[in-house]
Amino acid sequence: MKFDLPDEILPALERVRSRLSLDHRRAEAIAKSLVQFMHTEVWEGTNDEFQEMDELWHEFILDTTKYCQYCDRALGRYFHHVPEVSRGESGLTCGSGGGPPVPPPRS
């Protein structure tokens, strides 16, 4: 399944690309992974890849207007980010294994 990058994500993508020093190809791959995840609610990548994608997801959510517009237009609903946060030896981690959070069920 092919997903195009929505215009709404581009400002967040540029901020994350700059902050993580990613080349354009890698940044675009991360953004496509996020869009695919939001549409399918399935993550098939590695934990390291998820961490990069999650960084973009957090940045995208901060632009609430664009994030809500995208969710309404592309998904027909708001796609919640529900992190599983626990305190490990090295600080806060997502879930017990650092993997992706479980998205809420479709209504």
Side-chain angles (χ1 to χ4, degrees), residues 72-89:
D72 286 346
R73 179 180 57 75
L75 306 172
R77 66 184 176 86
Y78 185 84
F79 191 83
H80 292 275
H81 183 297
V82 183
E84 294 180 47
V85 178
S86 62
R87 184 164 293 282
E89 291 179 15

Side-chain angles (χ1 to χ4, degrees), residues 43-95:
W43 178 252
E44 297 176 353
T46 67
N47 282 343
D48 287 343
E49 292 167 335
F50 184 82
Q51 294 304 320
E52 291 175 333
M53 185 195 73
D54 197 45
E55 181 82 18
L56 175 58
W57 193 0
H58 289 196
E59 190 69 37
F60 192 19
I61 288 171
L62 291 175
D63 191 342
T64 57
T65 300
K66 286 186 168 94
Y67 185 75
C68 287
Q69 287 171 345
Y70 173 73
C71 288
D72 286 346
R73 179 180 57 75
L75 306 172
R77 66 184 176 86
Y78 185 84
F79 191 83
H80 292 275
H81 183 297
V82 183
E84 294 180 47
V85 178
S86 62
R87 184 164 293 282
E89 291 179 15
S90 62
L92 294 177
T93 60
C94 291

Side-chain angles (χ1 to χ4, degrees), residues 9-22:
I9 202 171
L10 298 179
L13 178 60
E14 184 54 34
R15 290 188 299 272
V16 168
R17 189 192 70 72
S18 177
R19 185 168 55 244
L20 298 181
S21 300
L22 301 170

Side-chain angles (χ1 to χ4, degrees), residues 36-47:
Q36 179 177 351
F37 176 70
M38 291 177 74
H39 280 268
T40 65
E41 298 185 18
V42 174
W43 178 252
E44 297 176 353
T46 67
N47 282 343

